[in-house]
Amino acid sequence: MPCSGLLGFCQYETNKLVRIQSLRLGSMKWSLNGLILLFICIMMLWNRKYQEFDLVVSSVTTKVKGVAQTNLPGIGNVVWDVVDYSGHSLDKNSFFVITNIIVTKNQKQGKCPEVPRNGRLCRTDKDCEKGAWDQQSHGIQTGSCVKFDVLRKTCEISAWCPVETKTNPQRPALLAAAENFTVLIKNNIRFPAFNFIRRNILPNMNDAYLRSCHRGNDSLCPIFRLGDIVQEAGEKFSEMAVEGGVIGIQIKWDCNLDRLMQRCLPKYSFRRLDEKESNKTLYPGLNFRYAKYNTVNGVEERTLYKAFGIRFDVMVFGQAGKFSFIQLIIYIGSTLSYYALTTILIDMLIGTSCYSAEVGQNFSEKKVESVQDKQKCILSVSYVDENNIRLVKRSQKKSLQDIKPVSVQPRKEDIGHLRAVLSLVQPGHDAQPPLDHKPDPNSKSRHPVWCKCNCCTPSSVPQEELCCRQS
């Protein structure tokens, strides 16, 4: 056993192949292999599977320009520049432009009636709780019920008075002219794995180019008209300007850093990010409030502005790829299994009606070899000094003399009885000798491997071994 275990390290096993001499099958095999190779090469070049990739790291700054004039109710003509309409948003990679506004002038700290919302009216002071407030309140209740107008009474509050009463924005939007404002987007990117730096303002873009470029005739122009951005997002600026919303500016970098095919340019796309459908019923658009303070006769006053507008979020994503021999080997290794499809398809074809049943059967017999599992063999062992036959199970570890017999039968000239016993001890055993069984003339000169006396010889009875006693 140790010798056979060591010999196992010096052996090699491989699959058995069947070669079919057929012009039709050979042509089909090479055609399918060619199509698979073409598919692998196209996918490798299209998806750049031969490259190592790195994700982009970026920073964004924006600069909005434009001037507009509006007529604010109660104030008059007002000129809006970038300081006025850019709002107070300091969000990263975004900018805000005011497009509509509600103004409440001359507010002072004092007491005034609350706005009657959601049917919140009062009849007496008992209906008003002193010090109470809620999320919809403009101030804190004083505990008094006062007149709001001729027909209605509400609880009095301590707040900036008069409180804001108008809630619906004006149509059309006051700052509809913001459609013609422009924004310069400066995007700096870096791919750390390749130590590659680039910006969306390319080296060939000088000051004269930036003053005259337009996205309509140059897709790489970094200056955008706000109306064009909203239009490419599939919206109308005049409608969106009334209540505001959120627009996403997407900058995609898909860079190829190989020397022969180096290309690294930005691609811009736009889409609306807030949900339009929900805007019809619940918290529509985008708005915030801010105030401008002044002092009149020693009393502090303020003008409250409720600003509606559009927020533009600049989102940068992308990757860069560069040739990598390791990635190429990995891709080739992962696609070699595709060639197994050729064998599967041709094997299926041979089994169909395209070939005769005789050809399919012949191919199946040549390719598939059936081997049955060997059961433990029952041997009939007899000794020279004994007239019995012992039925034992063959063992590779013990000699036949040392094996305990399954059954002991007397020797008879008629071996039919012995065959009957063998069929009971070993089900499925055929005790008949094979038709081509011929006695070996040299059988007496050979001794079984289990023999210890060199006198044991094979018997003429099938599966019987003649053995001497162990001394």
PDB file of all heavy atoms in Angstrom, residues 96-120:
ATOM      1  N   PHE A  96     -28.188  78.632  -5.581  1.00  0.00           N
ATOM      2  CA  PHE A  96     -29.615  78.918  -5.520  1.00  0.00           C
ATOM      3  C   PHE A  96     -29.896  80.243  -6.219  1.00  0.00           C
ATOM      4  O   PHE A  96     -29.139  81.207  -6.080  1.00  0.00           O
ATOM      5  CB  PHE A  96     -30.080  78.974  -4.063  1.00  0.00           C
ATOM      6  CG  PHE A  96     -31.554  79.165  -3.885  1.00  0.00           C
ATOM      7  CD1 PHE A  96     -32.411  78.075  -3.881  1.00  0.00           C
ATOM      8  CD2 PHE A  96     -32.094  80.428  -3.730  1.00  0.00           C
ATOM      9  CE1 PHE A  96     -33.770  78.242  -3.712  1.00  0.00           C
ATOM     10  CE2 PHE A  96     -33.454  80.609  -3.561  1.00  0.00           C
ATOM     11  CZ  PHE A  96     -34.301  79.519  -3.552  1.00  0.00           C
ATOM     12  N   VAL A  97     -31.000  80.268  -6.971  1.00  0.00           N
ATOM     13  CA  VAL A  97     -31.408  81.486  -7.670  1.00  0.00           C
ATOM     14  C   VAL A  97     -32.865  81.752  -7.322  1.00  0.00           C
ATOM     15  O   VAL A  97     -33.737  80.902  -7.539  1.00  0.00           O
ATOM     16  CB  VAL A  97     -31.236  81.345  -9.198  1.00  0.00           C
ATOM     17  CG1 VAL A  97     -31.781  82.587  -9.905  1.00  0.00           C
ATOM     18  CG2 VAL A  97     -29.766  81.148  -9.542  1.00  0.00           C
ATOM     19  N   ILE A  98     -33.153  82.964  -6.780  1.00  0.00           N
ATOM     20  CA  ILE A  98     -34.522  83.350  -6.443  1.00  0.00           C
ATOM     21  C   ILE A  98     -35.280  83.672  -7.728  1.00  0.00           C
ATOM     22  O   ILE A  98     -34.775  84.397  -8.593  1.00  0.00           O
ATOM     23  CB  ILE A  98     -34.524  84.563  -5.502  1.00  0.00           C
ATOM     24  CG1 ILE A  98     -33.873  84.200  -4.169  1.00  0.00           C
ATOM     25  CG2 ILE A  98     -35.939  85.089  -5.273  1.00  0.00           C
ATOM     26  CD1 ILE A  98     -33.725  85.380  -3.214  1.00  0.00           C
ATOM     27  N   THR A  99     -36.506  83.123  -7.842  1.00  0.00           N
ATOM     28  CA  THR A  99     -37.327  83.372  -9.028  1.00  0.00           C
ATOM     29  C   THR A  99     -38.676  84.016  -8.694  1.00  0.00           C
ATOM     30  O   THR A  99     -39.347  84.533  -9.584  1.00  0.00           O
ATOM     31  CB  THR A  99     -37.593  82.048  -9.768  1.00  0.00           C
ATOM     32  OG1 THR A  99     -38.195  81.109  -8.867  1.00  0.00           O
ATOM     33  CG2 THR A  99     -36.289  81.466 -10.299  1.00  0.00           C
ATOM     34  N   ASN A 100     -39.113  83.982  -7.436  1.00  0.00           N
ATOM     35  CA  ASN A 100     -40.382  84.572  -7.029  1.00  0.00           C
ATOM     36  C   ASN A 100     -40.276  84.962  -5.566  1.00  0.00           C
ATOM     37  O   ASN A 100     -39.454  84.399  -4.830  1.00  0.00           O
ATOM     38  CB  ASN A 100     -41.529  83.582  -7.238  1.00  0.00           C
ATOM     39  CG  ASN A 100     -42.845  84.273  -7.553  1.00  0.00           C
ATOM     40  OD1 ASN A 100     -42.925  85.505  -7.520  1.00  0.00           O
ATOM     41  ND2 ASN A 100     -43.867  83.494  -7.861  1.00  0.00           N
ATOM     42  N   ILE A 101     -41.129  85.896  -5.123  1.00  0.00           N
ATOM     43  CA  ILE A 101     -40.955  86.393  -3.753  1.00  0.00           C
ATOM     44  C   ILE A 101     -42.258  86.972  -3.227  1.00  0.00           C
ATOM     45  O   ILE A 101     -43.107  87.476  -3.981  1.00  0.00           O
ATOM     46  CB  ILE A 101     -39.839  87.462  -3.720  1.00  0.00           C
ATOM     47  CG1 ILE A 101     -39.272  87.605  -2.305  1.00  0.00           C
ATOM     48  CG2 ILE A 101     -40.318  88.788  -4.283  1.00  0.00           C
ATOM     49  CD1 ILE A 101     -37.942  88.285  -2.274  1.00  0.00           C
ATOM     50  N   ILE A 102     -42.476  86.853  -1.902  1.00  0.00           N
ATOM     51  CA  ILE A 102     -43.583  87.495  -1.185  1.00  0.00           C
ATOM     52  C   ILE A 102     -42.957  88.403  -0.131  1.00  0.00           C
ATOM     53  O   ILE A 102     -42.125  87.961   0.663  1.00  0.00           O
ATOM     54  CB  ILE A 102     -44.491  86.448  -0.520  1.00  0.00           C
ATOM     55  CG1 ILE A 102     -45.159  85.562  -1.576  1.00  0.00           C
ATOM     56  CG2 ILE A 102     -45.549  87.128   0.340  1.00  0.00           C
ATOM     57  CD1 ILE A 102     -45.981  84.437  -0.983  1.00  0.00           C
ATOM     58  N   VAL A 103     -43.380  89.687  -0.110  1.00  0.00           N
ATOM     59  CA  VAL A 103     -42.772  90.689   0.768  1.00  0.00           C
ATOM     60  C   VAL A 103     -43.783  91.126   1.831  1.00  0.00           C
ATOM     61  O   VAL A 103     -44.942  91.401   1.519  1.00  0.00           O
ATOM     62  CB  VAL A 103     -42.295  91.909  -0.035  1.00  0.00           C
ATOM     63  CG1 VAL A 103     -41.620  92.919   0.900  1.00  0.00           C
ATOM     64  CG2 VAL A 103     -41.330  91.469  -1.136  1.00  0.00           C
ATOM     65  N   THR A 104     -43.353  91.153   3.097  1.00  0.00           N
ATOM     66  CA  THR A 104     -44.136  91.707   4.208  1.00  0.00           C
ATOM     67  C   THR A 104     -43.316  92.837   4.816  1.00  0.00           C
ATOM     68  O   THR A 104     -42.266  92.594   5.429  1.00  0.00           O
ATOM     69  CB  THR A 104     -44.448  90.628   5.261  1.00  0.00           C
ATOM     70  OG1 THR A 104     -45.095  89.506   4.634  1.00  0.00           O
ATOM     71  CG2 THR A 104     -45.357  91.184   6.339  1.00  0.00           C
ATOM     72  N   LYS A 105     -43.812  94.106   4.648  1.00  0.00           N
ATOM     73  CA  LYS A 105     -43.024  95.281   5.041  1.00  0.00           C
ATOM     74  C   LYS A 105     -43.331  95.718   6.472  1.00  0.00           C
ATOM     75  O   LYS A 105     -44.371  95.421   7.045  1.00  0.00           O
ATOM     76  CB  LYS A 105     -43.331  96.450   4.093  1.00  0.00           C
ATOM     77  CG  LYS A 105     -42.834  96.246   2.680  1.00  0.00           C
ATOM     78  CD  LYS A 105     -43.135  97.485   1.846  1.00  0.00           C
ATOM     79  CE  LYS A 105     -42.461  98.706   2.439  1.00  0.00           C
ATOM     80  NZ  LYS A 105     -42.746  99.937   1.674  1.00  0.00           N
ATOM     81  N   ASN A 106     -42.355  96.480   7.007  1.00  0.00           N
ATOM     82  CA  ASN A 106     -42.520  97.252   8.242  1.00  0.00           C
ATOM     83  C   ASN A 106     -42.997  96.402   9.425  1.00  0.00           C
ATOM     84  O   ASN A 106     -43.935  96.754  10.143  1.00  0.00           O
ATOM     85  CB  ASN A 106     -43.508  98.422   8.034  1.00  0.00           C
ATOM     86  CG  ASN A 106     -43.061  99.332   6.920  1.00  0.00           C
ATOM     87  OD1 ASN A 106     -41.855  99.532   6.694  1.00  0.00           O
ATOM     88  ND2 ASN A 106     -44.024  99.914   6.191  1.00  0.00           N
ATOM     89  N   GLN A 107     -42.365  95.295   9.653  1.00  0.00           N
ATOM     90  CA  GLN A 107     -42.696  94.472  10.816  1.00  0.00           C
ATOM     91  C   GLN A 107     -41.954  94.993  12.048  1.00  0.00           C
ATOM     92  O   GLN A 107     -40.761  95.330  11.959  1.00  0.00           O
ATOM     93  CB  GLN A 107     -42.314  93.007  10.560  1.00  0.00           C
ATOM     94  CG  GLN A 107     -43.253  92.256   9.635  1.00  0.00           C
ATOM     95  CD  GLN A 107     -42.936  90.767   9.586  1.00  0.00           C
ATOM     96  OE1 GLN A 107     -41.775  90.360   9.630  1.00  0.00           O
ATOM     97  NE2 GLN A 107     -43.971  89.943   9.507  1.00  0.00           N
ATOM     98  N   LYS A 108     -42.670  95.043  13.175  1.00  0.00           N
ATOM     99  CA  LYS A 108     -42.096  95.469  14.444  1.00  0.00           C
ATOM    100  C   LYS A 108     -42.479  94.464  15.528  1.00  0.00           C
ATOM    101  O   LYS A 108     -43.471  93.751  15.406  1.00  0.00           O
ATOM    102  CB  LYS A 108     -42.623  96.849  14.840  1.00  0.00           C
ATOM    103  CG  LYS A 108     -42.368  97.946  13.813  1.00  0.00           C
ATOM    104  CD  LYS A 108     -43.013  99.253  14.261  1.00  0.00           C
ATOM    105  CE  LYS A 108     -42.827 100.335  13.210  1.00  0.00           C
ATOM    106  NZ  LYS A 108     -43.496 101.613  13.611  1.00  0.00           N
ATOM    107  N   GLN A 109     -41.690  94.429  16.588  1.00  0.00           N
ATOM    108  CA  GLN A 109     -42.027  93.598  17.734  1.00  0.00           C
ATOM    109  C   GLN A 109     -43.224  94.215  18.451  1.00  0.00           C
ATOM    110  O   GLN A 109     -43.207  95.381  18.829  1.00  0.00           O
ATOM    111  CB  GLN A 109     -40.844  93.516  18.690  1.00  0.00           C
ATOM    112  CG  GLN A 109     -39.691  92.664  18.204  1.00  0.00           C
ATOM    113  CD  GLN A 109     -39.950  91.185  18.415  1.00  0.00           C
ATOM    114  OE1 GLN A 109     -40.922  90.801  19.077  1.00  0.00           O
ATOM    115  NE2 GLN A 109     -39.075  90.342  17.840  1.00  0.00           N
ATOM    116  N   GLY A 110     -44.309  93.397  18.618  1.00  0.00           N
ATOM    117  CA  GLY A 110     -45.504  93.912  19.270  1.00  0.00           C
ATOM    118  C   GLY A 110     -46.555  92.834  19.394  1.00  0.00           C
ATOM    119  O   GLY A 110     -46.249  91.635  19.364  1.00  0.00           O
ATOM    120  N   LYS A 111     -47.832  93.297  19.516  1.00  0.00           N
ATOM    121  CA  LYS A 111     -48.968  92.384  19.648  1.00  0.00           C
ATOM    122  C   LYS A 111     -49.935  92.637  18.509  1.00  0.00           C
ATOM    123  O   LYS A 111     -50.235  93.791  18.188  1.00  0.00           O
ATOM    124  CB  LYS A 111     -49.676  92.584  20.988  1.00  0.00           C
ATOM    125  CG  LYS A 111     -48.793  92.272  22.187  1.00  0.00           C
ATOM    126  CD  LYS A 111     -49.540  92.531  23.497  1.00  0.00           C
ATOM    127  CE  LYS A 111     -48.639  92.235  24.694  1.00  0.00           C
ATOM    128  NZ  LYS A 111     -49.343  92.498  25.982  1.00  0.00           N
ATOM    129  N   CYS A 112     -50.437  91.531  17.934  1.00  0.00           N
ATOM    130  CA  CYS A 112     -51.352  91.639  16.802  1.00  0.00           C
ATOM    131  C   CYS A 112     -52.139  90.346  16.690  1.00  0.00           C
ATOM    132  O   CYS A 112     -51.754  89.319  17.260  1.00  0.00           O
ATOM    133  CB  CYS A 112     -50.594  91.942  15.516  1.00  0.00           C
ATOM    134  SG  CYS A 112     -49.253  90.768  15.165  1.00  0.00           S
ATOM    135  N   PRO A 113     -53.263  90.339  15.972  1.00  0.00           N
ATOM    136  CA  PRO A 113     -54.061  89.114  15.835  1.00  0.00           C
ATOM    137  C   PRO A 113     -53.349  88.090  14.935  1.00  0.00           C
ATOM    138  O   PRO A 113     -52.700  88.447  13.964  1.00  0.00           O
ATOM    139  CB  PRO A 113     -55.370  89.599  15.215  1.00  0.00           C
ATOM    140  CG  PRO A 113     -55.023  90.894  14.540  1.00  0.00           C
ATOM    141  CD  PRO A 113     -53.925  91.507  15.344  1.00  0.00           C
ATOM    142  N   GLU A 114     -53.507  86.809  15.313  1.00  0.00           N
ATOM    143  CA  GLU A 114     -52.939  85.722  14.520  1.00  0.00           C
ATOM    144  C   GLU A 114     -53.739  85.544  13.235  1.00  0.00           C
ATOM    145  O   GLU A 114     -54.918  85.896  13.163  1.00  0.00           O
ATOM    146  CB  GLU A 114     -52.951  84.428  15.359  1.00  0.00           C
ATOM    147  CG  GLU A 114     -52.465  83.172  14.644  1.00  0.00           C
ATOM    148  CD  GLU A 114     -51.007  83.253  14.242  1.00  0.00           C
ATOM    149  OE1 GLU A 114     -50.736  83.934  13.242  1.00  0.00           O
ATOM    150  OE2 GLU A 114     -50.163  82.642  14.928  1.00  0.00           O
ATOM    151  N   VAL A 115     -53.110  85.008  12.223  1.00  0.00           N
ATOM    152  CA  VAL A 115     -53.794  84.731  10.958  1.00  0.00           C
ATOM    153  C   VAL A 115     -54.727  83.541  11.164  1.00  0.00           C
ATOM    154  O   VAL A 115     -54.302  82.491  11.686  1.00  0.00           O
ATOM    155  CB  VAL A 115     -52.765  84.428   9.849  1.00  0.00           C
ATOM    156  CG1 VAL A 115     -53.475  84.061   8.558  1.00  0.00           C
ATOM    157  CG2 VAL A 115     -51.874  85.637   9.637  1.00  0.00           C
ATOM    158  N   PRO A 116     -55.988  83.644  10.745  1.00  0.00           N
ATOM    159  CA  PRO A 116     -56.934  82.529  10.932  1.00  0.00           C
ATOM    160  C   PRO A 116     -56.677  81.410   9.913  1.00  0.00           C
ATOM    161  O   PRO A 116     -57.100  81.504   8.761  1.00  0.00           O
ATOM    162  CB  PRO A 116     -58.305  83.189  10.712  1.00  0.00           C
ATOM    163  CG  PRO A 116     -58.021  84.350   9.823  1.00  0.00           C
ATOM    164  CD  PRO A 116     -56.645  84.838  10.162  1.00  0.00           C
ATOM    165  N   ARG A 117     -55.990  80.380  10.355  1.00  0.00           N
ATOM    166  CA  ARG A 117     -55.696  79.247   9.475  1.00  0.00           C
ATOM    167  C   ARG A 117     -56.378  77.998  10.012  1.00  0.00           C
ATOM    168  O   ARG A 117     -56.478  77.807  11.227  1.00  0.00           O
ATOM    169  CB  ARG A 117     -54.194  79.009   9.373  1.00  0.00           C
ATOM    170  CG  ARG A 117     -53.469  80.121   8.622  1.00  0.00           C
ATOM    171  CD  ARG A 117     -51.988  79.869   8.559  1.00  0.00           C
ATOM    172  NE  ARG A 117     -51.289  80.927   7.816  1.00  0.00           N
ATOM    173  CZ  ARG A 117     -49.969  81.016   7.728  1.00  0.00           C
ATOM    174  NH1 ARG A 117     -49.210  80.127   8.329  1.00  0.00           N
ATOM    175  NH2 ARG A 117     -49.432  82.000   7.033  1.00  0.00           N
ATOM    176  N   ASN A 118     -56.838  77.153   9.104  1.00  0.00           N
ATOM    177  CA  ASN A 118     -57.481  75.884   9.448  1.00  0.00           C
ATOM    178  C   ASN A 118     -58.669  76.100  10.405  1.00  0.00           C
ATOM    179  O   ASN A 118     -58.912  75.294  11.294  1.00  0.00           O
ATOM    180  CB  ASN A 118     -56.472  74.910  10.084  1.00  0.00           C
ATOM    181  CG  ASN A 118     -55.325  74.608   9.139  1.00  0.00           C
ATOM    182  OD1 ASN A 118     -55.510  74.530   7.923  1.00  0.00           O
ATOM    183  ND2 ASN A 118     -54.136  74.447   9.699  1.00  0.00           N
ATOM    184  N   GLY A 119     -59.397  77.214  10.240  1.00  0.00           N
ATOM    185  CA  GLY A 119     -60.584  77.469  11.056  1.00  0.00           C
ATOM    186  C   GLY A 119     -60.297  77.812  12.493  1.00  0.00           C
ATOM    187  O   GLY A 119     -61.168  77.653  13.356  1.00  0.00           O
ATOM    188  N   ARG A 120     -59.068  78.287  12.809  1.00  0.00           N
ATOM    189  CA  ARG A 120     -58.721  78.608  14.199  1.00  0.00           C
ATOM    190  C   ARG A 120     -59.217  80.009  14.543  1.00  0.00           C
ATOM    191  O   ARG A 120     -58.494  80.989  14.431  1.00  0.00           O
ATOM    192  CB  ARG A 120     -57.208  78.504  14.394  1.00  0.00           C
ATOM    193  CG  ARG A 120     -56.697  77.082  14.257  1.00  0.00           C
ATOM    194  CD  ARG A 120     -55.223  77.014  14.538  1.00  0.00           C
ATOM    195  NE  ARG A 120     -54.722  75.660  14.444  1.00  0.00           N
ATOM    196  CZ  ARG A 120     -53.463  75.301  14.649  1.00  0.00           C
ATOM    197  NH1 ARG A 120     -52.562  76.233  14.959  1.00  0.00           N
ATOM    198  NH2 ARG A 120     -53.090  74.048  14.534  1.00  0.00           N
TER     199      ARG A 120
END
